[in-house]
Each structure stands twice: as C-alpha cells, then as structure tokens.
Amino acid sequence: MKNYDLSGKVALVTGAGRARGLGEGIASKLAECGASVLITDLGESPDENMPDRHIGATDSMQAVVQGIRDRGGVADAFPLDVRDESQVEAAVAHAVESFGRLDILVNNAGIGYLIAACTELTEDKWDAVLDVNLKGPFLCTKHAARRMISQGEGGRVINIASQAAKSSFPHMAAYTASKHGLVGLTRTCALELGPHGITVNAVCPNHVTTGLGAVQNDYFSNHFGLTLEQYIDNIRTRNPMRREGKVADTANAVAFLCSDQAIYINGDSLNVTGGEEMH
C-alpha cells in the first residue's frame, strides 16, 4: 500500500521515546510518509509515579531518532514533561527552530500502569494520570494550535485515546476517566479550531502489548486468576478479528488522519479495535 504523502510537514509526537511503543510506531510511520518528526518524552524520571522503566529515557529517545534516520527519515529529540506549560512552549519552539514550522501534533504521552481499585487508588496517582493523560494534551494542543493558526495553513491534532474512552475497565478509574475526558477535549477543540483549517481527532485503539500493555497483562491476569497465556487468549477470543491490536494498526490510522485524504474528518474518535467493542 502506498504511504500517505506528508512531505514538507512537521510533526511533534509526545511520549514517543520508548522502543516498540505506540509513540515510536506513530513517529516512525509519519517519518516514513515524509514528515519531519520531533520525538519527545520525559528523558528522566521526575518522581516515583513515573519511574525509569515506564518512561522514554534520553538514550532511548535518541535511539528512536537514530532508527528513523537510519531508514532515511528526518527526526530530532527533545525532553518534555507535558504537565509543564513552559516545557510545552519550549518543545513547540524547538520544532519550529529545527524544521521551520509545525503542522501535526500527536498527543500520545500517557500513563496506563497506575492500576488499583477505586477504593484503593491514592490521590497522587489519580492526579498523575489525569495530569499526563488529559492536562498534557490540553497544554500541547493549546500551544501547537497557536503556532498552526499563525502559519495560516491549517494543521492536524491527533489524540491517542483508547477503547477505554468509550467503555469501562475495572481498577482503571483514573485512566478511563482521563480517556473519556480526552474525547470531550477532542470534540471541543475540533469546534474551535476547525475554522482555522485545523482538524482535531482521536484514535481509540484496543489492547496492544507494548511495554505498557505487558504491565496491564500481568496485572489483570493475576486479578482474574488466569495464567498470562489464558488472559491473552481471552483478549483474542472476544475480538472478531481474533487478535490483539498492533502498533502498526494505530500508526496507520494516525497517518491517514494527518493526510489530505482525511481533511473533512473532524472531531471524530476513530475505533481501531477490530470491532471488539461490538462483541
């Protein structure tokens, strides 16, 4: 299949500094389609709720960039805590300084590993999830959209939501609430930014066994008293396509929404689930 043509476009992708993660897959796909890509991630752990094993460290970010360059793409890296508005402003400025403009924002950074029953979930963990998963996309959209408006040539904002944005999961109150909220943010920003030629959409993937997905697999297989193999087999069985989601499924959907072919799609929340939500 021929790639969508994103030649001359510049994309900023948050939470893209981990190998084999959704962010890396999305950034790599956009670069493959011709976009110049700014990879952002934390770089180093800011606190106990975001430990080293769950973030994109500086060396990992650079490895993602080098992988894109090795395949002939254009990429750079920039450390970013999406909860900090001054850092968000700096990341947008770096994209413009490095590549001359900003056309695409992919809000991918998220926390999905702080899992607990709502009666046991601590306030600091609730705040961490909502700050990264919902406040972060708001701040990034705010400053990316300002740049896109000033350029006067439209743009694309893609929010990586989840199947949890349209359904519920036990022990994931904060995550589910944040992803439902992200759909609301998507719709409101689509209304406001559409007159400027900026479309805002969400992609809602089902379970993908990335590093984050593996943590969820371990937790829920234990919670339901299943072996890991049994739990994963259940995921496949309840899906009409009889498989889990893949990173490429989400990356391909993002590339489409960034392309000219999707210019009249705005405020949508696209399921990339194999039809699992209908089962």
Side-chain angles (χ1 to χ4, degrees):
M1 176 179 174
K2 185 177 179 180
N3 277 327
Y4 300 105
D5 185 9
L6 301 179
S7 301
K9 303 297 185 182
V10 175
L12 189 161
V13 185
T14 69
R18 296 187 70 193
R20 297 177 296 281
L22 276 183
E24 182 201 20
I26 291 166
S28 296
K29 183 64 180 181
L30 297 182
E32 182 184 335
C33 293
S36 300
V37 183
L38 182 63
I39 304 294
T40 72
D41 215 305
L42 280 169
E44 61 182 27
S45 171
D47 55 57
E48 64 181 8
N49 285 324
M50 299 173 204
D52 290 336
R53 67 183 182 277
H54 289 310
I55 68 166
T58 300
D59 58 349
S60 180
M61 292 167 61
Q62 292 297 338
V64 171
V65 168
Q66 191 59 52
I68 290 173
R69 290 174 177 172
D70 289 345
R71 293 186 293 274
V74 178
D76 193 10
F78 193 82
L80 171 62
D81 186 336
V82 298
R83 304 172 298 172
D84 185 325
E85 187 162 14
S86 64
Q87 292 189 36
V88 171
E89 288 184 277
V92 170
H94 186 82
V96 175
E97 290 165 6
S98 298
F99 304 122
R101 57 186 298 110
L102 181 62
D103 306 282
I104 297 165
L105 168 67
V106 182
N107 285 310
N108 173 72
I111 293 179
Y113 52 81
L114 296 177
I115 309 171
C118 64
T119 52
E120 304 298 327
L121 185 65
T122 60
E123 184 179 4
D124 69 302
K125 288 181 170 52
W126 170 275
D127 288 344
V129 174
L130 270 291
D131 281 354
V132 173
N133 293 11
L134 190 53
K135 177 183 175 182
F138 157 66
L139 292 175
C140 291
T141 300
K142 173 183 175 179
H143 290 284
R146 284 181 174 179
R147 178 64 197 184
M148 294 174 190
I149 290 170
S150 72
Q151 291 171 175
E153 299 178 27
R156 300 284 188 272
V157 177
I158 314 295
N159 295 319
I160 305 304
S162 170
Q163 188 177 12
K166 300 182 179 182
S167 58
S168 59
F169 288 83
H171 291 212
M172 297 195 77
Y175 183 82
T176 301
S178 71
K179 295 301 184 179
H180 274 68
L182 190 54
V183 169
L185 179 67
T186 299
R187 290 171 174 168
T188 299
C189 291
L191 288 174
E192 295 183 10
L193 299 177
H196 299 282
I198 301 168
T199 63
V200 186
N201 292 289
V203 174
C204 301
N206 64 340
H207 183 76
V208 183
T209 301
T210 57
L212 169 60
V215 172
Q216 295 172 346
N217 289 345
D218 289 340
Y219 182 94
F220 285 111
S221 60
N222 289 327
H223 173 69
F224 291 117
L226 302 171
T227 66
L228 183 60
E229 292 73 19
Q230 288 172 328
Y231 178 71
I232 293 175
D233 186 59
N234 283 351
I235 291 176
R236 294 169 179 152
T237 300
R238 69 173 180 254
N239 191 296
M241 303 294 290
R242 295 297 187 265
R243 68 168 174 85
E244 300 171 76
K246 299 177 182 179
V247 169
D249 297 325
T250 298
N252 289 334
V254 171
F256 165 66
L257 289 172
C258 290
S259 73
D260 288 343
Q261 284 87 345
I263 195 166
Y264 204 54
I265 299 174
N266 192 26
D268 197 16
S269 298
L270 176 65
N271 294 331
V272 183
T273 65
E276 185 173 333
E277 67 283 342
M278 296 181 291
H279 195 283

